[in-house]
Amino acid sequence: MHLADFVAGSVGGAFGVAVGYPLDTVKVRIQTQRRFTGVWQCIHTTWKKEGVNGFYRGMSMPVTTVSISSSVVFGVYRNVLQCLHQLRSTSTGLDFLPAKVDFFLSGLSGGVAQVSVMAPADIVKVRMQCQTVHQGLDAQQPKYRGPMHCLLTIAREEGFLGLYKGAGALALRDGPSFATYFTIYHVICEQLSPPENTQPEWNVVLLAGGLSGMCGWCIGTPMDVIKSRLQVDGMGKRRYTGFFHCIAQSIRTEGPGVLFKGLSLNCIRAFPVNMSVFAMYEVVVRLLRPKT
């Protein structure tokens, strides 16, 4: 088992959250609230009414849980990739390099595996980010006083399964998007690195990390919209009865383009975030496993 990948993924994930959280808050609000007509209008309104703290609502829990979930993603990815490589080599008697489909399946496994860890933290993050929008800034006492209070309130009012609201959409988002993410990262590193290099140069790591993140979000944004809407639905009057009703209702009232709401912002945010994630991941892996 490659323990170094679990550790490196944890460090990279936490660093990525810190870099991208403000734009993530804007993205969630645009996806879930019709009163925000665009990115700049949402940024301006948030800054004017809530100040800089408005962009960092609910960040403490994601830093911790994304660190854990990123550890799961990278660890599962690397170990599944190793298993597939061993199976391929054993069945043929030859030591083949991993095929692109191996990277795809390994990334898919890592993305789905992290949902059990990520779903409760993600719903807390989304509700904390949207709390002032739903309750109004004049509310004397916010419903959720902090991430842990939000977690316990959801569990009390909506049951334990309430913490996994939107988990199906989260799995459908993260499975394909991480499959794309790791495959694109590998392909770019392979194409831009000389054959004799076992480790990509740092400029290649940064470029591949940024571009792979953007490609992953192109695949994952439709399910990200549905996931966010299902998670926010418990804060006020319920609009959706389930996953498919949310998709149908969203498309019927706002058109098919609603599934790509926040895509441009996701792509803008994805480049520096995933550039940072892979840079930190490679730093830690090379420190812990210098000869690979």
Side-chain angles (χ1 to χ4, degrees), residues 6 8 12 48 81 95 99 105 110 117 120 141-142 160 190 210 212 218 222 242:
F6 286 96
K48 182 179 178 181
L81 185 64
D95 188 19
L105 292 175
V117 177
Q141 180 66 45
F160 179 76
E190 184 181 57
S212 63
C218 287

Side-chain angles (χ1 to χ4, degrees), residues 102 123 174 176 210 226 236 261 266:
D102 294 340
I123 191 170
D174 286 351
I226 301 304
K261 210 167 189 178
N266 274 336

Side-chain angles (χ1 to χ4, degrees), residues 49-62:
K49 295 185 176 181
E50 302 174 59
V52 68
N53 290 336
F55 296 98
Y56 290 93
R57 291 189 181 277
M59 192 181 83
S60 58
M61 183 170 285

